[in-house]
Amino acid sequence: MFLTTSANRIAENDLDFSIVYDRNDEMGLLCKAFEKMRSALESNNREMWRQMNERQKLNAAFSHDLRTPLTVMEGHLGILQKYTPQGKLSADDVMQTYAAMARQIERLKNYTSSMNTLQRLEDVPIVRKQLAASDFTARLNDTAEIICKNKNLSISDKTVATSLCVDPEIVLQVFENLLSNAARYAKSAISIQYTATNDTFSITVTDDGAGFDDTTLKFATNPFYTTEKKSDTGQHLGLGLNICKILCERHNGNIILSNGIETGASVTVRFGMIE
C-alpha cells in the first residue's frame, strides 16, 4: 500500500515527498530504489522548469531589443516612401538612408545569431577532466596576460587542491569573458584570485573601474543587458555575463557580481567539480 501510494503520486507528477523505510531488507532496497527514482525525477523537473524560465526571459529580452532596429528601419522606410516620389530627396540623401537601414539589418542579423548561440549553450555538454591545478592556473595566467596586457595585473592563487575536475574549455570561455569586461572598464589595474575546495573551483576578477551601480548588479547577467549606448552596428549586445551565467550553471556553479572593497567591479564564478 505504501509503495502503491507513492507510485500513484509519482504518476501524477507529485514529487514533493520522500520515501523512507528504515529496514535493511528486500522491501528496504525496493524503497531506496523508488526514492532514487523519485529524487531523479524531481531534479529533472526542476532543471526543466529552470530552462523554460530562462528561455522565456531570453525570448522576452530578444523581442524587446528587436523593437529598436525595426522602429528605426520603419522610420527610414517611411521617409523614402513619402519624399522619394516627390523628388525631395537627393541621391546622397537616399544613399545615406539606405546605409542607415543596412546598419539596422546588420543589427538584426547580430541579434538573431546571438539568440541562436544562447539557445545552444543550454545543450552544451560538460566534459570534466582531471587536471593538475598548477598547470591549469598557469594556462589561465597566460590567457590573462594576453587579454590584460595594457593593465597592471596581479594574480593570487589560493587553491588548496592539487588537482581540478573541470571542463577546461568551459572555464576558459567564462574566464575570457570576465577578462574582456575587466580590460574594457578598468582604469589601470586588474586582479585575479583562484580558489578551490574539494567540490568547487572559483575565480574572482576585480578591476579598478567605476564598478556596478545598483541596477547593473541586479540585471547584468540578463541577456542583452548593457550599460553602453547601443550603436547602430550593435557590437556590444550585452551577452558576455549572461553567457557566463549559463555556462557556470551548466557546470553546477554560479556567478556572483559585487563591487570591490575600495573601487571597481568584482565578479566571482564558481564551477562545481562534482556532477
Side-chain angles (χ1 to χ4, degrees):
M1 181 66 70
F2 172 68
L3 287 180
T4 300
T5 301
S6 298
N8 288 335
R9 292 183 68 176
I10 291 173
E12 294 171 358
N13 208 30
D14 176 10
L15 303 172
D16 189 20
F17 68 100
S18 60
I19 300 171
V20 179
Y21 187 85
D22 293 333
R23 296 182 184 177
N24 194 26
D25 53 15
E26 188 172 354
M27 177 61 74
L29 294 175
L30 183 59
C31 287
K32 287 180 180 178
F34 254 77
E35 172 59 19
K36 185 177 181 180
M37 177 183 68
R38 182 209 63 80
S39 178
L41 288 171
E42 183 182 28
S43 178
N44 289 339
N45 275 7
R46 282 199 302 268
E47 176 61 17
M48 180 185 69
W49 283 110
R50 184 194 69 77
Q51 290 191 17
M52 287 179 61
N53 185 51
E54 288 296 321
R55 296 269 172 115
Q56 288 176 348
K57 290 193 292 185
L58 176 58
N59 289 337
F62 184 61
S63 299
H64 177 271
D65 273 39
L66 281 181
R67 293 173 191 163
T68 300
L70 288 173
T71 299
V72 173
M73 286 181 63
E74 186 177 34
H76 287 310
L77 182 60
I79 291 173
L80 291 176
Q81 289 175 329
K82 182 176 181 179
Y83 295 110
T84 301
Q86 302 174 19
K88 293 184 177 180
L89 293 176
S90 66
D92 187 54
D93 289 335
V94 172
M95 291 307 298
Q96 288 185 15
T97 303
Y98 280 142
M101 293 178 70
R103 289 194 294 269
Q104 299 306 318
I105 291 173
E106 188 64 27
R107 286 189 69 188
L108 291 174
K109 288 167 62 179
N110 287 342
Y111 277 123
T112 302
S113 176
S114 299
M115 182 71 169
N116 290 334
T117 298
L118 292 179
Q119 296 282 12
R120 289 195 299 269
L121 287 177
E122 287 288 358
D123 301 319
V124 169
I126 303 300
V127 183
R128 290 177 175 83
K129 298 179 181 179
Q130 204 72 33
L131 307 169
S134 57
D135 291 345
F136 187 59
T137 54
R139 183 179 173 186
L140 295 176
N141 292 344
D142 289 341
T143 299
E145 288 172 3
I146 293 171
I147 296 177
C148 307
K149 60 183 179 180
N150 296 322
K151 307 294 181 183
N152 295 323
L153 184 63
S154 62
I155 299 174
S156 172
D157 189 346
K158 296 187 177 181
T159 55
V160 295
T162 57
S163 65
L164 304 172
C165 186
V166 296
D167 185 324
E169 299 307 319
I170 296 297
V171 175
L172 275 167
Q173 185 173 351
V174 171
F175 188 53
E176 288 167 359
N177 267 306
L178 297 189
L179 293 175
S180 296
N181 279 348
R184 184 182 307 142
Y185 294 110
K187 294 177 182 177
S188 61
I190 295 171
S191 65
I192 299 168
Q193 179 176 289
Y194 308 119
T195 58
T197 61
N198 291 333
D199 58 2
T200 304
F201 175 58
S202 302
I203 304 173
T204 298
V205 176
T206 305
D207 62 64
D208 64 347
F212 297 117
D213 58 32
D214 291 341
T215 302
T216 303
L217 279 173
K218 186 175 181 180
F219 297 111
T221 58
N222 288 355
F224 303 112
Y225 179 86
T226 177
T227 57
E228 297 182 12
K229 184 177 181 181
K230 295 181 181 179
S231 64
D232 284 340
T233 56
Q235 293 300 310
H236 299 295
L237 299 180
L239 296 177
L241 289 177
N242 182 247
I243 289 173
C244 292
K245 175 177 180 289
I246 292 172
L247 292 178
C248 285
E249 290 177 349
R250 293 283 297 121
H251 208 299
N252 293 342
N254 61 359
I255 181 171
I256 300 173
L257 275 59
S258 62
N259 286 312
I261 298 175
E262 296 180 0
T263 184
S266 182
V267 181
T268 297
V269 288
R270 296 191 177 112
F271 304 92
M273 294 196 288
I274 299 175
E275 295 185 17

